[in-house]
Amino acid sequence: MSSWWVNVFGHANPRINQRIKDQVDQLEHVMLAGFSHQPVVELSERLVALTPAGLERVFYTDNGSTGIEVALKMSFHYWRNSGRERKQRFVTLTNSYHGETVAAMSVGDVALFTDTYKPLLLDTFKVPSPDCYLRPEGVSWEEHSRQMFAHMEQTLAEHHQDIAAVIVEPLIQGAGGMRMYHPIYLKLLREACDRYEVHLIHDEIAVGFGRTGTMFACEQAGITPDFLCLSKALTGGYLPMAAVLTTDRLYQAFYDDYSTLRAFLHSHTYTGNPLACAAALATLDIFAEDNVIEANKALAARMASATAHLAGHPHVAEVRQTGMALAIEMVQDKPSRTAYPWQERRGLKVYQHALERGALLRPLGSVVYFLPPYCITEEQIDFLAAVASEGIDIATRDTVQVAMPSGLYPGFRDPG
Protein backbone atom coordinates (compact mmCIF):
# COMPACT_ATOMS: atom_id res chain seq x y z
CA MET A 1 0.00 0.00 0.00
CA SER A 2 2.98 2.23 -0.75
CA SER A 3 3.28 3.45 2.86
CA TRP A 4 -0.16 5.09 2.74
CA TRP A 5 -0.09 5.62 -1.01
CA VAL A 6 2.96 7.92 -1.14
CA ASN A 7 5.99 5.78 -1.91
CA VAL A 8 6.23 5.08 -5.64
CA PHE A 9 9.94 4.36 -6.18
CA GLY A 10 10.97 2.50 -3.05
CA HIS A 11 12.61 3.41 0.22
CA ALA A 12 16.04 5.07 0.16
CA ASN A 13 15.90 5.55 -3.61
CA PRO A 14 19.46 6.63 -4.52
CA ARG A 15 18.39 9.26 -7.06
CA ILE A 16 15.96 10.97 -4.69
CA ASN A 17 18.45 10.61 -1.82
CA GLN A 18 21.19 12.35 -3.80
CA ARG A 19 18.99 15.26 -4.88
CA ILE A 20 18.01 15.94 -1.27
CA LYS A 21 21.63 15.63 -0.10
CA ASP A 22 22.75 18.13 -2.71
CA GLN A 23 19.98 20.55 -1.74
CA VAL A 24 20.61 20.41 2.02
CA ASP A 25 24.09 21.83 1.44
CA GLN A 26 22.64 24.81 -0.44
CA LEU A 27 19.41 25.85 1.31
CA GLU A 28 17.24 23.97 3.78
CA HIS A 29 14.32 26.40 4.02
CA VAL A 30 13.25 29.96 3.41
CA MET A 31 9.75 31.36 3.68
CA LEU A 32 7.92 31.53 0.36
CA ALA A 33 6.57 35.01 1.01
CA GLY A 34 8.68 37.82 -0.35
CA PHE A 35 11.36 35.21 -1.11
CA SER A 36 11.79 32.39 -3.60
CA HIS A 37 14.42 29.79 -4.50
CA GLN A 38 15.57 27.85 -7.53
CA PRO A 39 14.00 24.44 -6.70
CA VAL A 40 10.48 25.87 -6.28
CA VAL A 41 10.75 27.83 -9.53
CA GLU A 42 11.90 24.74 -11.41
CA LEU A 43 9.24 22.54 -9.83
CA SER A 44 6.49 25.02 -10.64
CA GLU A 45 7.55 25.22 -14.27
CA ARG A 46 7.70 21.44 -14.57
CA LEU A 47 4.31 20.87 -12.92
CA VAL A 48 2.69 23.39 -15.26
CA ALA A 49 4.28 21.64 -18.25
CA LEU A 50 3.26 18.18 -17.00
CA THR A 51 -0.36 18.80 -16.05
CA PRO A 52 -3.30 19.39 -18.45
CA ALA A 53 -3.31 22.58 -20.50
CA GLY A 54 -4.75 25.61 -18.76
CA LEU A 55 -3.29 24.95 -15.31
CA GLU A 56 -0.73 27.73 -15.18
CA ARG A 57 -0.40 28.75 -11.52
CA VAL A 58 0.83 26.74 -8.52
CA PHE A 59 0.09 27.27 -4.84
CA TYR A 60 2.13 25.21 -2.36
CA THR A 61 1.18 23.87 1.02
CA ASP A 62 2.31 21.16 3.42
CA ASN A 63 0.09 18.11 2.85
CA GLY A 64 -2.99 16.77 1.12
CA SER A 65 -5.60 17.95 3.61
CA THR A 66 -4.30 21.51 3.63
CA GLY A 67 -4.13 21.41 -0.15
CA ILE A 68 -7.87 20.69 -0.19
CA GLU A 69 -8.42 23.58 2.21
CA VAL A 70 -6.56 25.86 -0.19
CA ALA A 71 -8.71 24.82 -3.17
CA LEU A 72 -11.97 25.26 -1.24
CA LYS A 73 -10.96 28.65 0.17
CA MET A 74 -9.64 29.87 -3.16
CA SER A 75 -12.86 28.90 -4.96
CA PHE A 76 -15.01 30.60 -2.32
CA HIS A 77 -12.79 33.70 -2.36
CA TYR A 78 -12.78 33.88 -6.17
CA TRP A 79 -16.56 34.18 -6.29
CA ARG A 80 -16.47 36.77 -3.51
CA ASN A 81 -13.91 38.83 -5.43
CA SER A 82 -16.09 38.45 -8.53
CA GLY A 83 -19.13 39.94 -6.81
CA ARG A 84 -21.05 36.65 -6.58
CA GLU A 85 -21.12 36.18 -2.83
CA ARG A 86 -24.03 33.72 -2.88
CA LYS A 87 -21.71 31.04 -4.25
CA GLN A 88 -20.48 29.64 -0.93
CA ARG A 89 -21.38 25.94 -0.83
CA PHE A 90 -19.67 22.81 -2.15
CA VAL A 91 -20.88 19.63 -3.79
CA THR A 92 -19.27 16.29 -3.01
CA LEU A 93 -19.94 12.63 -3.72
CA THR A 94 -21.20 10.15 -1.16
CA ASN A 95 -18.49 7.81 0.14
CA SER A 96 -15.81 10.37 -0.64
CA TYR A 97 -12.72 11.24 1.39
CA HIS A 98 -10.63 14.39 1.08
CA GLY A 99 -8.66 14.63 4.31
CA GLU A 100 -9.07 15.27 8.01
CA THR A 101 -8.83 19.00 8.57
CA VAL A 102 -12.23 20.62 9.13
CA ALA A 103 -13.10 21.83 5.63
CA ALA A 104 -11.61 18.70 4.07
CA MET A 105 -13.77 16.56 6.35
CA SER A 106 -16.79 18.67 5.40
CA VAL A 107 -16.52 17.56 1.77
CA GLY A 108 -15.93 13.94 2.77
CA ASP A 109 -18.53 11.27 3.45
CA VAL A 110 -16.86 8.37 5.26
CA ALA A 111 -18.69 8.24 8.59
CA LEU A 112 -15.73 6.85 10.51
CA PHE A 113 -13.81 10.05 9.90
CA THR A 114 -16.62 12.61 10.08
CA ASP A 115 -19.39 11.56 12.48
CA THR A 116 -17.64 12.72 15.65
CA TYR A 117 -17.04 16.18 14.22
CA LYS A 118 -20.39 16.90 12.54
CA PRO A 119 -21.07 20.06 14.61
CA LEU A 120 -17.87 21.57 13.22
CA LEU A 121 -18.46 20.82 9.54
CA LEU A 122 -19.63 22.95 6.63
CA ASP A 123 -23.07 22.34 5.14
CA THR A 124 -22.45 20.67 1.77
CA PHE A 125 -24.51 19.06 -0.98
CA LYS A 126 -23.91 15.31 -1.14
CA VAL A 127 -24.67 13.62 -4.46
CA PRO A 128 -24.85 9.82 -4.90
CA SER A 129 -21.52 8.41 -6.03
CA PRO A 130 -21.14 6.85 -9.51
CA ASP A 131 -19.49 3.88 -7.71
CA CYS A 132 -19.66 1.04 -10.24
CA TYR A 133 -19.69 -1.65 -7.57
CA LEU A 134 -23.33 -0.63 -7.09
CA ARG A 135 -24.32 -0.98 -10.74
CA PRO A 136 -27.19 -3.36 -11.59
CA GLU A 137 -26.31 -6.70 -13.14
CA GLY A 138 -25.60 -6.43 -16.85
CA VAL A 139 -24.94 -2.68 -16.77
CA SER A 140 -21.49 -1.50 -17.91
CA TRP A 141 -19.27 0.87 -15.95
CA GLU A 142 -19.82 3.59 -18.54
CA GLU A 143 -23.59 3.20 -18.64
CA HIS A 144 -23.87 3.21 -14.86
CA SER A 145 -21.64 6.28 -14.53
CA ARG A 146 -23.76 8.09 -17.13
CA GLN A 147 -26.95 7.18 -15.33
CA MET A 148 -25.63 8.30 -11.96
CA PHE A 149 -24.67 11.68 -13.37
CA ALA A 150 -28.36 12.60 -13.42
CA HIS A 151 -28.14 13.24 -9.67
CA MET A 152 -25.28 15.70 -10.12
CA GLU A 153 -27.04 17.42 -13.02
CA GLN A 154 -30.14 17.93 -10.90
CA THR A 155 -28.19 19.35 -7.96
CA LEU A 156 -26.31 21.80 -10.16
CA ALA A 157 -29.46 22.84 -12.01
CA GLU A 158 -31.33 23.56 -8.79
CA HIS A 159 -28.58 25.11 -6.67
CA HIS A 160 -25.83 26.46 -8.93
CA GLN A 161 -26.41 30.02 -7.78
CA ASP A 162 -25.25 28.95 -4.32
CA ILE A 163 -22.49 26.52 -5.35
CA ALA A 164 -18.84 27.55 -5.50
CA ALA A 165 -17.36 24.21 -6.59
CA VAL A 166 -17.77 20.47 -7.00
CA ILE A 167 -14.97 18.34 -5.57
CA VAL A 168 -14.31 14.73 -6.59
CA GLU A 169 -11.73 11.99 -6.27
CA PRO A 170 -11.40 11.17 -9.98
CA LEU A 171 -11.90 7.49 -10.93
CA ILE A 172 -11.10 5.96 -7.51
CA GLN A 173 -12.68 6.71 -4.13
CA GLY A 174 -9.75 5.60 -2.00
CA ALA A 175 -10.54 5.58 1.72
CA GLY A 176 -14.16 4.76 0.86
CA GLY A 177 -13.07 1.24 -0.12
CA MET A 178 -11.23 1.66 -3.43
CA ARG A 179 -14.56 2.08 -5.22
CA MET A 180 -14.17 2.98 -8.90
CA TYR A 181 -16.09 4.59 -11.75
CA HIS A 182 -15.82 5.41 -15.45
CA PRO A 183 -14.08 8.54 -16.87
CA ILE A 184 -17.29 9.55 -18.67
CA TYR A 185 -18.56 10.89 -15.35
CA LEU A 186 -15.68 13.38 -15.22
CA LYS A 187 -16.31 14.49 -18.79
CA LEU A 188 -20.01 15.09 -18.10
CA LEU A 189 -19.13 16.90 -14.88
CA ARG A 190 -16.71 19.23 -16.61
CA GLU A 191 -19.36 20.14 -19.17
CA ALA A 192 -21.98 20.74 -16.47
CA CYS A 193 -19.65 22.86 -14.34
CA ASP A 194 -19.00 25.04 -17.36
CA ARG A 195 -22.72 25.40 -18.09
CA TYR A 196 -23.63 26.30 -14.54
CA GLU A 197 -20.52 28.41 -13.78
CA VAL A 198 -19.25 26.22 -10.96
CA HIS A 199 -15.61 25.35 -10.29
CA LEU A 200 -14.39 21.76 -10.61
CA ILE A 201 -11.84 20.57 -8.04
CA HIS A 202 -9.98 17.33 -8.73
CA ASP A 203 -8.48 15.74 -5.65
CA GLU A 204 -5.68 13.70 -7.23
CA ILE A 205 -3.71 13.51 -4.00
CA ALA A 206 -3.99 9.71 -3.97
CA VAL A 207 -4.56 8.97 -7.66
CA GLY A 208 -2.15 11.37 -9.35
CA PHE A 209 1.31 10.48 -10.68
CA GLY A 210 0.46 7.31 -12.57
CA ARG A 211 -1.78 5.47 -10.13
CA THR A 212 -4.76 5.22 -12.49
CA GLY A 213 -2.70 4.27 -15.56
CA THR A 214 -2.13 7.81 -16.82
CA MET A 215 -0.02 10.48 -15.17
CA PHE A 216 -3.20 12.18 -13.93
CA ALA A 217 -6.68 10.69 -13.78
CA CYS A 218 -8.27 13.71 -15.48
CA GLU A 219 -6.34 12.84 -18.65
CA GLN A 220 -8.58 9.80 -19.15
CA ALA A 221 -11.57 12.12 -19.52
CA GLY A 222 -9.66 14.62 -21.66
CA ILE A 223 -10.49 17.50 -19.33
CA THR A 224 -8.83 20.21 -17.26
CA PRO A 225 -10.23 20.90 -13.79
CA ASP A 226 -10.21 24.41 -12.32
CA PHE A 227 -8.13 23.11 -9.41
CA LEU A 228 -5.83 20.10 -9.41
CA CYS A 229 -4.71 19.05 -5.92
CA LEU A 230 -1.52 16.97 -5.75
CA SER A 231 0.48 15.51 -2.86
CA LYS A 232 1.55 12.04 -1.63
CA ALA A 233 3.59 10.67 -4.57
CA LEU A 234 4.66 14.22 -5.50
CA THR A 235 7.84 13.83 -3.44
CA GLY A 236 8.14 10.07 -3.89
CA GLY A 237 6.94 9.64 -0.32
CA TYR A 238 9.95 11.40 1.19
CA LEU A 239 8.69 14.70 2.55
CA PRO A 240 5.29 16.35 3.09
CA MET A 241 4.29 18.72 0.32
CA ALA A 242 1.18 19.56 -1.67
CA ALA A 243 0.62 21.62 -4.79
CA VAL A 244 -2.67 23.13 -5.92
CA LEU A 245 -2.64 24.04 -9.59
CA THR A 246 -5.18 26.44 -11.02
CA THR A 247 -5.83 28.68 -13.99
CA ASP A 248 -4.55 32.15 -14.72
CA ARG A 249 -8.14 33.37 -14.74
CA LEU A 250 -8.51 32.42 -11.09
CA TYR A 251 -5.11 33.87 -10.25
CA GLN A 252 -5.99 37.23 -11.79
CA ALA A 253 -9.05 37.57 -9.52
CA PHE A 254 -6.66 38.00 -6.58
CA TYR A 255 -3.92 40.06 -8.25
CA ASP A 256 -4.61 43.72 -7.50
CA ASP A 257 -3.39 46.76 -5.60
CA TYR A 258 -2.91 46.17 -1.89
CA SER A 259 -5.61 48.68 -0.97
CA THR A 260 -8.31 46.51 -2.57
CA LEU A 261 -7.63 43.69 -0.06
CA ARG A 262 -8.33 41.06 -2.72
CA ALA A 263 -5.24 38.95 -2.04
CA PHE A 264 -5.50 35.29 -1.09
CA LEU A 265 -4.17 35.47 2.46
CA HIS A 266 -3.33 31.86 3.14
CA SER A 267 0.06 30.59 4.18
CA HIS A 268 1.92 27.69 5.76
CA THR A 269 5.34 27.98 7.34
CA TYR A 270 6.95 25.24 5.25
CA THR A 271 5.21 26.10 1.99
CA GLY A 272 7.49 25.30 -0.95
CA ASN A 273 10.23 23.86 1.25
CA PRO A 274 13.43 23.47 -0.84
CA LEU A 275 14.19 19.94 0.41
CA ALA A 276 10.68 18.76 -0.49
CA CYS A 277 11.02 20.48 -3.87
CA ALA A 278 14.30 18.62 -4.44
CA ALA A 279 12.60 15.31 -3.67
CA ALA A 280 9.76 16.20 -6.04
CA LEU A 281 12.15 17.17 -8.84
CA ALA A 282 14.02 13.87 -8.49
CA THR A 283 10.67 12.03 -8.56
CA LEU A 284 9.67 13.81 -11.77
CA ASP A 285 13.08 12.94 -13.25
CA ILE A 286 12.44 9.25 -12.61
CA PHE A 287 9.02 9.45 -14.26
CA ALA A 288 10.55 11.15 -17.29
CA GLU A 289 13.72 9.09 -17.65
CA ASP A 290 12.40 5.61 -16.83
CA ASN A 291 9.20 5.68 -18.89
CA VAL A 292 7.30 4.71 -15.75
CA ILE A 293 3.75 5.05 -17.07
CA GLU A 294 4.45 2.63 -19.90
CA ALA A 295 6.28 0.19 -17.63
CA ASN A 296 3.35 0.19 -15.23
CA LYS A 297 1.09 -1.27 -17.91
CA ALA A 298 2.87 -4.62 -17.64
CA LEU A 299 2.72 -4.52 -13.85
CA ALA A 300 -1.00 -3.67 -13.91
CA ALA A 301 -1.63 -6.57 -16.30
CA ARG A 302 0.25 -8.90 -13.94
CA MET A 303 -1.85 -7.70 -11.00
CA ALA A 304 -4.98 -8.53 -13.01
CA SER A 305 -3.84 -11.99 -14.06
CA ALA A 306 -2.46 -12.92 -10.63
CA THR A 307 -5.78 -12.18 -8.93
CA ALA A 308 -8.20 -13.22 -11.69
CA HIS A 309 -9.00 -16.52 -9.98
CA LEU A 310 -10.44 -14.66 -6.98
CA ALA A 311 -13.42 -13.52 -9.06
CA GLY A 312 -14.73 -17.07 -8.62
CA HIS A 313 -14.24 -17.18 -4.86
CA PRO A 314 -17.53 -17.84 -3.03
CA HIS A 315 -16.97 -14.84 -0.74
CA VAL A 316 -15.56 -12.35 -3.25
CA ALA A 317 -18.15 -10.11 -4.87
CA GLU A 318 -15.77 -8.27 -7.17
CA VAL A 319 -12.16 -7.90 -8.21
CA ARG A 320 -11.87 -4.41 -9.68
CA GLN A 321 -8.91 -2.48 -11.04
CA THR A 322 -7.94 0.92 -12.37
CA GLY A 323 -4.29 1.08 -13.40
CA MET A 324 -2.02 0.33 -10.46
CA ALA A 325 -4.87 0.05 -7.96
CA LEU A 326 -6.69 -3.26 -7.49
CA ALA A 327 -9.36 -4.13 -4.92
CA ILE A 328 -10.94 -7.40 -3.81
CA GLU A 329 -14.33 -7.03 -2.09
CA MET A 330 -15.12 -9.77 0.42
CA VAL A 331 -18.82 -10.40 1.16
CA GLN A 332 -20.88 -12.65 3.39
CA ASP A 333 -23.19 -13.72 0.56
CA LYS A 334 -22.02 -13.47 -3.03
CA PRO A 335 -25.34 -13.57 -4.98
CA SER A 336 -26.87 -10.75 -2.92
CA ARG A 337 -23.54 -9.03 -2.23
CA THR A 338 -24.44 -8.92 1.45
CA ALA A 339 -21.57 -7.33 3.34
CA TYR A 340 -20.00 -8.83 6.41
CA PRO A 341 -20.94 -7.10 9.68
CA TRP A 342 -18.21 -4.57 10.38
CA GLN A 343 -17.82 -5.97 13.90
CA GLU A 344 -16.38 -9.20 12.48
CA ARG A 345 -13.35 -7.37 11.07
CA ARG A 346 -12.74 -9.88 8.29
CA GLY A 347 -10.12 -7.66 6.72
CA LEU A 348 -8.08 -7.76 9.90
CA LYS A 349 -7.75 -11.54 9.50
CA VAL A 350 -6.25 -11.05 6.04
CA TYR A 351 -3.88 -8.41 7.42
CA GLN A 352 -2.72 -10.66 10.25
CA HIS A 353 -2.11 -13.60 7.94
CA ALA A 354 -0.19 -11.40 5.51
CA LEU A 355 2.12 -10.16 8.27
CA GLU A 356 2.93 -13.76 9.20
CA ARG A 357 3.84 -14.39 5.56
CA GLY A 358 5.99 -11.27 5.26
CA ALA A 359 3.58 -9.05 3.38
CA LEU A 360 1.75 -5.84 4.24
CA LEU A 361 -1.88 -5.93 3.10
CA ARG A 362 -3.70 -3.24 5.07
CA PRO A 363 -7.36 -3.57 4.11
CA LEU A 364 -10.20 -1.07 4.13
CA GLY A 365 -12.93 -2.89 6.04
CA SER A 366 -13.64 -6.03 4.03
CA VAL A 367 -11.77 -4.75 0.99
CA VAL A 368 -8.30 -6.17 0.38
CA TYR A 369 -6.37 -3.98 -2.01
CA PHE A 370 -3.05 -3.72 -3.84
CA LEU A 371 -1.64 -0.22 -4.27
CA PRO A 372 2.05 -1.08 -4.67
CA PRO A 373 5.06 1.09 -5.40
CA TYR A 374 6.02 1.09 -9.06
CA CYS A 375 9.33 -0.65 -8.33
CA ILE A 376 7.47 -3.85 -7.46
CA THR A 377 8.40 -6.91 -9.54
CA GLU A 378 6.08 -9.35 -11.23
CA GLU A 379 7.31 -12.07 -8.86
CA GLN A 380 6.41 -9.91 -5.87
CA ILE A 381 2.96 -9.31 -7.34
CA ASP A 382 2.47 -13.08 -7.64
CA PHE A 383 3.53 -13.48 -4.02
CA LEU A 384 1.07 -10.81 -2.83
CA ALA A 385 -1.73 -12.44 -4.81
CA ALA A 386 -0.95 -15.83 -3.23
CA VAL A 387 -0.85 -14.33 0.27
CA ALA A 388 -4.10 -12.45 -0.34
CA SER A 389 -5.79 -15.63 -1.56
CA GLU A 390 -4.68 -17.53 1.54
CA GLY A 391 -5.79 -14.71 3.80
CA ILE A 392 -9.20 -14.42 2.16
CA ASP A 393 -9.72 -18.18 2.55
CA ILE A 394 -8.88 -17.92 6.24
CA ALA A 395 -10.94 -14.76 6.82
CA THR A 396 -14.08 -16.14 5.20
CA ARG A 397 -13.90 -19.72 6.44
CA ASP A 398 -15.62 -19.37 9.81
CA THR A 399 -17.57 -16.85 11.84
CA VAL A 400 -15.13 -14.57 13.59
CA GLN A 401 -15.74 -14.03 17.30
CA VAL A 402 -15.14 -10.40 18.18
CA ALA A 403 -14.38 -8.91 21.58
CA MET A 404 -15.53 -5.31 21.22
CA PRO A 405 -13.10 -2.72 22.59
CA SER A 406 -14.58 -0.47 25.25
CA GLY A 407 -15.49 3.12 24.55
CA LEU A 408 -16.53 2.70 20.90
CA TYR A 409 -19.86 4.13 19.83
CA PRO A 410 -22.28 1.83 17.97
CA GLY A 411 -21.58 3.26 14.54
CA PHE A 412 -17.83 2.75 14.76
CA ARG A 413 -16.26 1.17 11.70
CA ASP A 414 -12.57 0.30 11.75
CA PRO A 415 -10.70 0.55 8.42
CA GLY A 416 -8.88 -2.67 9.34
Side-chain angles (χ1 to χ4, degrees):
M1 38 78 79
S2 300
S3 196
W4 248 347
W5 319 347
V6 303
N7 188 303
V8 285
F9 298 127
H11 297 290
N13 182 285
R15 291 148 81 179
I16 304 176
N17 286 359
Q18 191 60 52
R19 189 73 177 248
I20 295 172
K21 290 175 183 176
D22 292 344
Q23 182 59 44
V24 80
D25 288 331
Q26 300 175 50
L27 178 69
E28 76 298 332
H29 183 65
V30 65
M31 65 179 183
L32 203 66
F35 293 87
S36 189
H37 53 83
Q38 185 273 334
V40 81
V41 173
E42 182 182 352
L43 180 59
S44 302
E45 292 173 346
R46 291 183 65 175
L47 287 174
V48 167
L50 189 63
T51 54
L55 297 172
E56 300 174 359
R57 301 287 180 171
V58 189
F59 193 100
Y60 291 96
T61 180
D62 295 353
N63 58 66
S65 294
T66 57
I68 296 297
E69 301 272 339
V70 164
L72 297 174
K73 285 179 64 177
M74 198 178 290
S75 174
F76 166 87
H77 200 162
Y78 170 89
W79 295 117
R80 183 181 181 87
N81 281 356
S82 302
R84 301 179 68 177
E85 296 186 8
R86 275 186 60 181
K87 296 174 78 65
Q88 299 180 8
R89 296 181 66 185
F90 299 96
V91 181
T92 188
L93 299 175
T94 57
N95 196 46
S96 57
Y97 175 88
H98 297 286
E100 295 179 39
T101 49
V102 172
M105 280 193 297
S106 298
V107 292
D109 187 50
V110 178
L112 173 64
F113 302 109
T114 60
D115 277 1
T116 301
Y117 309 102
K118 276 186 177 178
L120 301 177
L121 305 184
L122 305 174
D123 182 23
T124 60
F125 294 104
K126 288 183 168 45
V127 172
S129 169
D131 177 2
C132 288
Y133 178 71
L134 304 176
R135 70 193 185 281
E137 187 175 355
V139 176
S140 70
W141 280 34
E142 179 174 357
E143 184 180 357
H144 180 70
S145 298
R146 282 184 180 275
Q147 291 173 357
M148 292 304 294
F149 187 75
H151 300 285
M152 179 67 75
E153 179 75 38
Q154 181 180 357
T155 298
L156 292 176
E158 293 177 0
H159 302 288
H160 63 93
Q161 297 288 356
D162 300 311
I163 295 171
V166 178
I167 181 169
V168 296
E169 298 164 273
L171 303 186
I172 304 173
Q173 292 186 300
M178 294 296 159
R179 295 294 181 83
M180 303 174 184
Y181 59 95
H182 194 276
I184 191 63
Y185 192 91
L186 302 176
K187 182 176 176 62
L188 295 172
L189 181 56
R190 174 71 277 178
E191 294 169 354
C193 286
D194 288 341
R195 283 200 311 276
Y196 293 111
E197 296 186 282
V198 168
H199 292 148
L200 175 57
I201 302 171
H202 269 208
D203 174 358
E204 296 217 17
I205 290 162
V207 301
F209 297 102
R211 185 57 66 182
T212 66
T214 49
M215 183 62 83
F216 302 107
C218 54
E219 295 174 30
Q220 296 185 38
I223 65 166
T224 299
D226 299 293
F227 298 91
L228 179 63
C229 301
L230 304 172
S231 190
K232 290 192 182 291
L234 172 62
T235 66
Y238 269 67
L239 290 164
M241 168 179 270
V244 180
L245 284 88
T246 190
T247 64
D248 191 63
R249 178 182 178 182
L250 272 120
Y251 172 84
Q252 293 298 335
F254 299 94
Y255 192 78
D256 206 343
D257 291 334
Y258 178 80
S259 60
T260 66
L261 300 180
R262 294 164 62 87
F264 184 60
L265 297 176
H266 184 105
S267 59
H268 292 267
T269 304
Y270 284 96
T271 287
N273 173 261
L275 301 178
C277 288
L281 287 166
T283 298
L284 296 186
D285 284 344
I286 296 172
F287 272 107
E289 295 166 9
D290 292 7
N291 201 14
V292 172
I293 302 300
E294 189 63 30
N296 279 358
K297 292 179 181 178
L299 295 175
R302 188 59 163 256
M303 287 166 60
S305 62
T307 57
H309 65 283
L310 285 168
H313 193 284
H315 291 287
V316 170
E318 181 177 67
V319 180
R320 54 183 174 269
Q321 183 176 7
T322 298
M324 289 292 288
L326 183 143
I328 305 155
E329 185 109 16
M330 296 187 296
V331 291
Q332 180 173 303
D333 181 72
K334 186 165 184 164
S336 65
R337 290 192 167 187
T338 302
Y340 283 109
W342 63 265
Q343 296 92 336
E344 294 183 0
R345 301 187 72 182
R346 300 280 174 154
L348 180 61
K349 293 293 181 180
V350 180
Y351 170 78
Q352 290 170 334
H353 172 75
L355 285 183
E356 292 174 359
R357 294 275 276 116
L360 179 59
L361 292 173
R362 189 178 186 274
L364 292 158
S366 292
V367 177
V368 179
Y369 71 92
F370 297 178
L371 206 99
Y374 306 155
C375 57
I376 196 170
T377 66
E378 293 189 348
E379 292 73 23
Q380 289 169 333
I381 289 171
D382 291 344
F383 171 69
L384 287 180
V387 170
S389 297
E390 296 164 4
I392 290 168
D393 283 342
I394 292 168
T396 61
R397 184 177 300 151
D398 302 305
T399 300
V400 179
Q401 299 299 318
V402 178
M404 287 296 293
S406 61
L408 299 182
Y409 62 88
F412 180 82
R413 181 167 63 84
D414 190 301

